[in-house]
């Protein structure tokens, strides 16, 4: 048995191609299936089976289209109310994939109908745990609904213990989530691999003997998750169509200027410092990188047409990332020089500074520090007197911000860059603090480290 990992670092997830040297099973493929097909081609194997551990909340699956393209058997929990053709599978059932035996194990917790798969080649085992047992943690249990969270958290505690009991200690563990995904109930462990035996001695879900304590602790530490998750499960249940990864014909200068003047969403993919120094007035900054699709999908109004502005490479990558979360067919203007993109359009800028430039003493009606981190981050430690409006709440809460100049910060500068662009677009006077929050105190900025968050 060989396991090939297909990383999606942008969403903190992994998909897997598991094969015996001849035929392969794909587990939890992302919507851009060309990466899986390339892996299969490189390994010289034929895809005969595709399996889902659960109806995903953080991305659109490529499972249905991949199965159709290869005439493969599509394994989806018999209890999932999907509207497409699949091979239903349930707890305890076993499927042969060449020399491999694939056993489904019910592991509710992340969702009610979650399955894990134990793959055995007669000599070794591999456990594909989806959003159940992760490295050092488990999948979050609040995505189905608030009324289900308590029950699902108890289910999660029981499920991971049952899964660990059914597998051998030496079995490799291959979760889908847990590498930065918001589907994890805790921060990424940083581990790149693990076994069931290692998790039995280090994972709090397996070492905490008090189920109620585990449940209370997990629920207490759940944080905000992206709003676009609300759209993923519905589409995955219906069956997503294929991803269109083609770069559209570039808009001309006049059409780009018309969209800016009409208040449409024009997204600049350059790095935040470049954006701050010069950008098309009315555009917003979502610098392309690993966090791009998560925050764009979380912040932007869902379903509105987007125009991407940037280099061809960045636009191409952005289209792929957005397709994974169901944002299809964005338009594009290719180029990185605002003046050349639309010579007759207005160009804007805003200051970009370090902590040493931030005024320590601020009075009412003047300057204000705006912290756009999540409420839990703000509650743990914050700039004294800072106003907390998390980035994902910024657009609907613009009226909550004080008058005067706004000095915007986050943890590293990425979220603050987005926020500063949104605030300037809304007509506010902004300064981007492009610095790490951990460096604020050393720069003489007073911090507070206790009390509840205001946002």
């Amino acid at each position: 048995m060989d396991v090939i990992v297909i990383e999606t670092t942008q969403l903190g997830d992994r998909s897997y191609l598991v094969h015996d040297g001849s035929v392969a099973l794909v587990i939890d493929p992302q919507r851009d299936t060309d990466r899986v097909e390339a892996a299969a081609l490189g390994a010289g194997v034929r895809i005969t089976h595709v399996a889902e551990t659960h109806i995903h909340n953080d991305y659109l699956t490529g499972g249905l289209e991949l199965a159709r393209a290869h005439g493969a058997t599509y394994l989806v929990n018999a209890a999932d109310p999907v509207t497409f053709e699949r091979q239903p599978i349930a707890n305890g059932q076993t499927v042969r994939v060449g020399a491999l035996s694939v056993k489904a194990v019910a592991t509710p917790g992340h969702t009610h109908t979650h399955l894990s798969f134990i793959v055995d080649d007669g000599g070794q085992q591999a456990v594909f745990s989806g959003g159940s047992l992760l490295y050092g943690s488990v999948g979050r249990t609040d995505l189905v609904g608030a009324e289900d969270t308590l029950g699902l958290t108890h289910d999660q505690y029981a499920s991971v213990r049952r899964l660990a009991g059914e597998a051998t200690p030496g079995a490799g563990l291959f979760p889908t989530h847990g590498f930065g995904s918001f589907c994890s109930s805790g921060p990424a462990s940083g581990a790149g691999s693990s076994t069931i035996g290692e998790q039995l001695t280090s994972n709090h879900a397996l070492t905490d003997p008090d189920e109620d304590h585990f449940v209370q602790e997990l629920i207490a530490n759940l944080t905000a998750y992206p709003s676009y998750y609300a759209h993923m499960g519905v589409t995955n249940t219906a069956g997503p169509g294929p991803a269109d990864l083609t770069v559209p014909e570039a808009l001309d200068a006049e059409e780009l200027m018309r969209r800016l003047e009409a208040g449409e969403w024009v997204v600049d993919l350059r790095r935040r410092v470049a954006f701050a120094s010069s950008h098309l007035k009315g555009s917003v900054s979502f610098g392309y990188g690993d966090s791009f699709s998560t925050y764009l999908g979380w912040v932007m109004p869902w379903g509105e047409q987007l125009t991407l502005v940037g280099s061809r490479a960045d636009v191409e990558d952005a289209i792929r990332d957005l397709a994974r979360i169901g944002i299809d067919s964005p338009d594009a203007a290719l180029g990185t020089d605002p003046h050349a993109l639309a010579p007759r359009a207005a160009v804007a800028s805003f200051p970009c500074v370090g902590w040493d430039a931030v005024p320590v003493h601020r009075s009412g009606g003047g300057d204000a520090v705006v912290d756009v981190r999540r409420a839990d981050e703000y509650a743990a430690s914050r700039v004294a007197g800072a106003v907390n409006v998390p980035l994902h709440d910024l657009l609907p809460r613009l009226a909550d911000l004080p008058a005067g100049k706004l000095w915007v910060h986050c943890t590293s500068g990425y979220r603050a860059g987005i926020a500063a662009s949104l605030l300037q677009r809304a007509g506010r006077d902004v300064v981007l603090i492009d610095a790490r929050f951990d460096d604020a105190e050393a720069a003489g900025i007073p911090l507070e480290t206790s009390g509840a968050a205001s946002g």
Side-chain angles (χ1 to χ4, degrees), residues 58 129 193 213 253 339:
D58 64 334
S129 56
S193 63
H213 174 265
H339 297 280

Side-chain angles (χ1 to χ4, degrees), residues 53 62 81 95 137 151 160 165 193 266 273 322 371 391 398 440 445:
T53 58
V95 174
S137 187
V160 296
S193 63
V266 175
V273 174
L322 294 176
D371 183 339
L391 174 61
L398 289 171
I445 303 297

Side-chain angles (χ1 to χ4, degrees), residues 247 269 288 310-320 334-336:
V247 176
L269 302 176
Y288 182 75
S311 68
R312 185 175 187 87
D314 280 351
V315 168
E316 191 171 61
D317 289 340
I319 287 172
R320 178 179 292 269
L334 302 179
T336 57

Side-chain angles (χ1 to χ4, degrees), residues 343-402:
R344 295 198 304 111
V347 174
S349 65
F350 50 76
C352 181
V353 303
W355 286 113
D356 56 347
V358 178
V360 175
H361 303 291
R362 301 175 299 276
S363 58
D367 296 6
V369 171
V370 178
D371 183 339
V372 296
R373 297 175 301 156
R374 298 189 312 272
D376 59 296
E377 297 173 281
Y378 175 81
S381 179
R382 57 196 176 275
V383 172
V387 176
N388 179 224
V389 178
L391 174 61
H392 56 270
D393 286 337
L394 187 61
L395 285 178
R397 292 184 56 189
L398 289 171
D400 295 347
L401 292 166

